[in-house]
Amino acid sequence: MLSCALRYSRGVYSERLLDHFQNPRNVGELEEADLRVEVSNPICGDILRLTATLAGERIGEVTYRTRGCTASIAVGSALTELLVGKSPPEALAIDRDVIEAAVGGLSNESKHAAVLAVDGIRALVREWRAREAA
């Protein structure tokens, strides 16, 4: 039997978002990561950490850790799936709309999760470009 909280969540969140929340993909940190970034939302307090390996000019593997709400956890999971195999320009093309679509939509109260993910992408690409310039 579903708990009251989960029954309530099903009315607020999409099935895809709940699937990413309940069965998060790519959670953790890569020991041998080429890139490590952390971004936060000072208003809500959510934190997103991304670690990634590079395979040539593309992201090989990416993992995440997040401290935040249901939407932020789910968005982090979806984000890792979106980033694999992307070049810097392709990664930067992942915007809030793409992220929201990946989790089946976000309520107005949860849109901050997509903003945090976009901030994470930008930080990852900045780190990547700084690494290449060094």
Side-chain angles (χ1 to χ4, degrees), residues 43-65:
I43 295 170
C44 68
D46 291 357
I47 298 171
L48 173 66
R49 181 178 301 141
L50 298 169
T51 56
T53 60
L54 300 176
E57 297 294 317
R58 301 198 170 272
I59 296 172
E61 186 177 0
V62 62
T63 61
Y64 84 108
R65 286 199 183 274

Side-chain angles (χ1 to χ4, degrees), residues 22-33:
Q22 293 169 335
N23 307 292
R25 286 69 144 174
N26 307 306
V27 175
E29 292 188 42
L30 297 169
E31 292 289 324
E32 302 295 324

